[in-house]
Every structure is written in structure tokens, then in C-alpha cells.
Amino acid sequence: MSEEEDEIILSELSDEELTLQMHDDLYDGLKEEIEEGVNILLERGWQPYEVLTKALVEGMRIVGIDFRDGILFVPEVLLAANAMKGGMAILKPLLAETGAPRLGNMVIGTVKGDIHDIGKNLVTMMMEGAGFEVKDLGINNPVENYIEALESGEFDILGMSALLTTTMPYMKVVIDTMVEKGMRDDYTVLVGGAPLNEEFGKAIGADAYCRDAAVAVETAKEFMAKKHNQVSA
Amino acid sequence: MLVDDTTLTEDGLDARGEKPARILVLACGALAREILALFRLNNWDHMDLTCLPAKLHLYPDQITEAVTKAVKKHRGDYSRIFVAYADCGTGGQLQARCDELGVEMIAGPHCYSFFEGNDAFAKVAEDEFTAFYLTDFLVKQFDAFIWKPMGLDRHPELRDMLFGNYTKLVYQAQTNDPALDAKAQACADKLGLPLERRFTGYGDLQTALERVSV
């Protein structure tokens, strides 16, 4: 077959075929194709939230599983994330306009002395995709940045990230400060990063250690559900 | 006789001397040349070296189990085993396991720290956390260890996403070798970072092995 005959015309696919194709395109990190797919579905009358969850988040969920299972590696995940970012850029303003459901609010940042942000950025994107509002504090955050953000009263969840053995203990500094200020129990604290483990998360007083972005989303959802149950009980 | 750097990255090393040795140094493949150089310089012919593949560093969660397996495999043949790894991204798990196994390891977070000297490295850590480090071995194995695993050979456009927060490349030189200096410069150019060359020698690796050798 010629290359021309092989080429898939996204606009000619049915809705179902197109969402499956978008999962493939996301997997392959094809940003332009994702942007095109998002626009086609919107033109066909899909709600932005539906495009987000059925085409993008589902596609990234598959990427997350294959990353966890060692089939995909960091570069492929970054390309997929970049493609999703392209789609999100189109959807974000529309989601705000259409009042898509919000599961909760999170503030996230890499701790002081650490400039690594790939994992944090993936978590941010996956959390946004799952329906959380996320404020990203960026890298190298002293405790004051976290406390100031939390004191604004907008957030349910604090996320902290570190890649270095030398910087991960700083998470405890932040949690201890929250305890001193009597605000620890007001928030769910999630931590993550390559050298961390569950034991460390428990030892520093976090609510959970999240191995990857997909686990972070699931954990955040569980904690928000518990919180809502407590409120309604 | 030492194997090539690619073998040290992928497979490790089992370097036993001709005489029976009392002490085994169980090391990361990235340290093989430096440790064998120290053996030669100090006439430590009562010490053997065995190395795990350097590429284990790409999966730090596997280091503790791999070291444990190797200690158990070799402990019947030696009166003492010394683990030439620092924490290396294991989040304290390697130290805890070495304590359980009753073997010593090198202090410090990683080889960049102990080559420079843990105290000296800690002193500048606050001002230098935006530095990306390479040692002699990593300069030689830059493509195999950094460029390819990070996917930059296939997707150079990811470079700034991966390295955009770094402000310089520090080449910690264990030896004086103009060819390696030139290669370090090429690595810095590829990463788009200014290069700083810093001669460290063997740093705390040497003092740790001196202590073990007696």
C-alpha cells in the first residue's frame, strides 16, 4: 500500500474510532494529531469534559499502566504528556466555561534544594485531567511557599515531590511546620519521587506515598471521597 | 585486565586476583576503574573486586536487592565484604539492608558527593543544586547512560524539558586526561550547559577503601 493510502484522516473516523485513534496518538506522543482530534470531537458537539475524560485521560491512563509495567519509559511518557498538554490547552478554557465537575483542589511543588520536576509535572497534568484544580508552585520551594499557599484556604491536598535522597527529608520539615501551626489535619498530604517509598511516607507523617502519577490520582480521589463521606455523615 | 566500559555498564565485572583474597569490594560498575587503580597504587592484593552493572542506577529501586543477592553469593568466600555504593537513590534502604547483613558501605548520598568529599559536597550543596554532574566513567558512557536512556537520541526536543532547570555541568575528574576533558565539553554542548571541570581524584572512595584494607 502507498503511504497516502495508509494515512488516517481523523475527521473521517466515527466517534468511537476517533477516540481509540486518539489513545494511540497519545501513546505515540503525536501532539498535532491530538489537538486535531480534540477540535473534531468538539465540533461534533462533545462536551469538553467528555473529550477530556474519554479521549485524553483514558489515553494517559493506558500510558501510565505501560510505564508502570516497564513497557514505556520516561521519554515516551514525556512525549505523551506533551501531546496531552496540547489537547488540554484547548479544553481548559472551555472546561472553566462549562463548569465541569471539580473533585478537589491541590497545591503541588518540588521541595527546597531540588530542581527536578518531570514527575511533578506529570502528576499536575493527570490530576487536572481527572478533575482537580491544581496550583503548581514549581521547583525549589521553601516551607514558607507551601504554608502561604495552604493558608489561602483554597486547597484540600498538598503534594510534594523530591528526586534526591538529600532533599526528600525536607518534606518532613514542611509537615512538621503544618503540625506546629495546627493545620496538618486540614489537608491530605501526598508525597512522591524516585527515592521515596511507603515507609518513608509514613515516617514523615504524610497521608500517602504515590509511586507514580496514576497512583497519585487514584489516591487523591480516595481521600476526597473519604472527606466527603465524613462531611455528610 | 579490565573489561570495557560498555560491559561495566551492562554486565558488571568479576575481577579476582590470582592469590586468594580476604576482602571483597562489591561495587557499582561505574567505580571499577577507580577501585582497581587504588588496588594497584596501594598494592592491595588481598582485595578482590566484583561489580554489579552500572546501569542499575537507571533503576535505583533494584539496587538494594541486587547488592543483597551478591553479598549472600560471596560471603562464604571472604572474611569481609565492603559495599562500594553510596545511598544512590535507594532512600536509605541500602544502608538499612547493609546494616542487616552486617556489611559496611560508603557514606554519602551518591558518588558525586564522595568523589568530591562528602563534607565538601554538603557545604556547597545549597548553592550547587542546579548542577548536573558527570564523573570520568559517566563522561565516557554519556550516550549509554544519559543520552539514550533519556530518549534524547530519538527525541532531542525533550532536552530542555529534561535539563532546562540545570544551570551548569560539573565534570568531576578523577584523572587528568585531555581526551576526557574534550568529551566532557562535548557532553556540555549537547546538554546546552556551561562546563565546569573540577579535579576530585578519588575523594572519600580512597579513604573508605584505606580503612577497609587493614
Side-chain angles (χ1 to χ4, degrees):
Chain A
M1 263 204 285
S2 73
E3 212 172 277
E4 205 171 302
E5 282 169 322
D6 268 348
E7 199 180 321
I8 295 165
I9 311 292
L10 295 181
S11 59
E12 291 176 359
L13 300 178
S14 69
D15 285 6
E16 195 187 346
E17 287 168 336
L18 180 54
T19 47
L20 291 175
Q21 184 58 44
M22 286 174 73
H23 298 166
D24 285 351
D25 289 345
L26 209 50
Y27 198 93
D28 294 332
L30 304 175
K31 188 179 178 187
E32 283 175 20
E33 284 77 355
I34 288 298
E35 288 166 343
E36 187 186 345
V38 166
N39 283 326
I40 292 168
L41 290 174
L42 289 172
E43 280 161 21
R44 290 181 187 175
W46 281 43
Q47 289 301 304
Y49 185 69
E50 207 180 359
V51 180
L52 175 68
T53 52
K54 290 185 179 166
L56 300 188
V57 173
E58 177 56 18
M60 278 307 281
R61 194 184 66 82
I62 298 164
V63 170
I65 290 169
D66 280 5
F67 178 61
R68 182 196 65 199
D69 294 345
I71 298 164
L72 289 181
F73 297 95
V74 169
E76 288 80 18
V77 175
L78 286 180
L79 288 168
N82 201 38
M84 176 154 173
K85 209 171 160 189
M88 283 289 281
I90 300 167
L91 293 174
K92 226 175 168 180
L94 302 174
L95 287 165
E97 276 172 28
T98 51
R102 282 272 155 239
L103 292 183
N105 294 307
M106 179 188 212
V107 58
I108 190 169
T110 302
V111 298
K112 189 180 173 185
D114 204 322
I115 57 166
H116 300 92
D117 60 1
I118 291 168
K120 171 187 69 62
N121 293 345
L122 286 172
V123 171
T124 300
M125 202 183 52
M126 290 293 279
M127 292 289 289
E128 285 179 344
F132 287 84
E133 183 75 38
V134 183
K135 180 180 172 67
D136 185 352
L137 298 175
I139 56 173
N140 186 27
N141 283 289
V143 59
E144 294 80 14
N145 290 9
Y146 295 105
I147 300 297
E148 191 185 331
L150 293 174
E151 282 177 340
S152 72
E154 297 166 37
F155 302 103
D156 311 292
I157 301 169
L158 167 64
M160 287 188 283
S161 170
L163 186 85
L164 303 173
T165 303
T166 45
T167 56
M168 63 190 224
Y170 196 79
M171 294 175 173
K172 187 170 186 305
V173 174
V174 177
I175 293 174
D176 287 350
T177 307
M178 291 170 74
V179 172
E180 277 167 29
K181 289 181 168 282
M183 61 198 295
R184 169 65 187 88
D185 294 338
D186 300 337
Y187 303 96
T188 298
V189 179
L190 306 181
V191 295
L196 277 69
N197 53 52
E198 215 165 319
E199 209 174 283
F200 175 80
K202 276 186 196 153
I204 62 167
D207 288 297
Y209 154 70
C210 303
R211 193 185 52 195
D212 56 41
V215 171
V217 170
E218 288 315 308
T219 310
K221 281 183 181 171
E222 281 168 26
F223 275 98
M224 289 311 294
K226 273 187 212 163
K227 193 175 177 180
H228 288 152
N229 292 343
Q230 279 167 1
V231 170
S232 54
Chain B
M1 241 304 274
L2 182 55
V3 295
D4 60 78
D5 290 315
T6 304
T7 308
L8 291 172
T9 295
E10 298 291 330
D11 306 315
L13 169 77
D14 194 0
R16 286 162 192 258
E18 287 171 12
K19 296 178 195 168
R22 288 186 291 112
I23 300 169
L24 177 70
V25 177
L26 169 60
C28 165
L31 302 175
R33 287 184 189 281
E34 289 72 21
I35 292 171
L36 288 177
L38 285 166
F39 282 8
R40 275 195 306 274
L41 284 168
N42 296 284
N43 297 317
W44 289 335
D45 54 5
H46 62 301
M47 293 165 82
D48 277 345
L49 172 68
T50 191
C51 293
L52 297 175
K55 71 172 183 188
L56 269 179
H57 276 87
L58 300 173
Y59 316 98
D61 56 324
Q62 296 178 16
I63 291 175
T64 303
E65 284 314 311
V67 168
T68 304
K69 209 172 147 192
V71 168
K72 287 181 177 169
K73 180 182 167 192
H74 294 290
R75 76 182 328 164
D77 299 329
Y78 293 90
S79 57
R80 187 173 182 188
I81 293 180
F82 180 74
V83 174
Y85 271 88
D87 180 73
C88 299
T90 65
Q93 290 191 328
L94 183 58
Q95 181 67 65
R97 186 62 60 84
C98 283
D99 292 346
E100 273 171 39
L101 292 166
V103 294
E104 286 177 80
M105 60 181 271
I106 303 183
H110 36 60
C111 62
Y112 315 124
S113 173
F114 68 65
F115 274 136
E116 196 141 325
N118 284 324
D119 292 341
F121 192 87
K123 269 184 199 155
V124 296
E126 211 156 299
D127 301 318
E128 273 217 337
F129 65 93
T130 56
F132 186 74
Y133 294 93
L134 293 178
T135 62
D136 281 4
F137 180 83
L138 290 172
V139 166
K140 285 185 252 181
Q141 285 290 290
F142 181 78
D143 284 345
F145 229 91
I146 290 141
W147 200 249
K148 285 180 186 164
M150 292 286 111
L152 292 165
D153 54 332
R154 289 160 285 136
H155 304 289
E157 73 274 17
L158 292 177
R159 187 189 74 173
D160 292 345
M161 211 188 276
L162 290 162
F163 289 92
N165 291 336
Y166 290 102
T167 56
K168 64 177 172 181
L169 171 64
V170 174
Y171 165 36
Q172 296 178 318
Q174 282 71 61
T175 54
N176 286 310
D177 180 344
L180 281 184
D181 292 348
K183 188 144 196 295
Q185 183 61 59
C187 297
D189 293 344
K190 268 177 135 174
L191 294 176
L193 295 171
L195 175 71
E196 182 182 325
R197 181 189 188 274
R198 201 178 285 167
F199 182 78
T200 66
Y202 302 122
D204 287 353
L205 175 65
Q206 179 163 343
T207 45
L209 290 180
E210 277 167 1
R211 200 166 29 81
V212 173
S213 70
V214 290

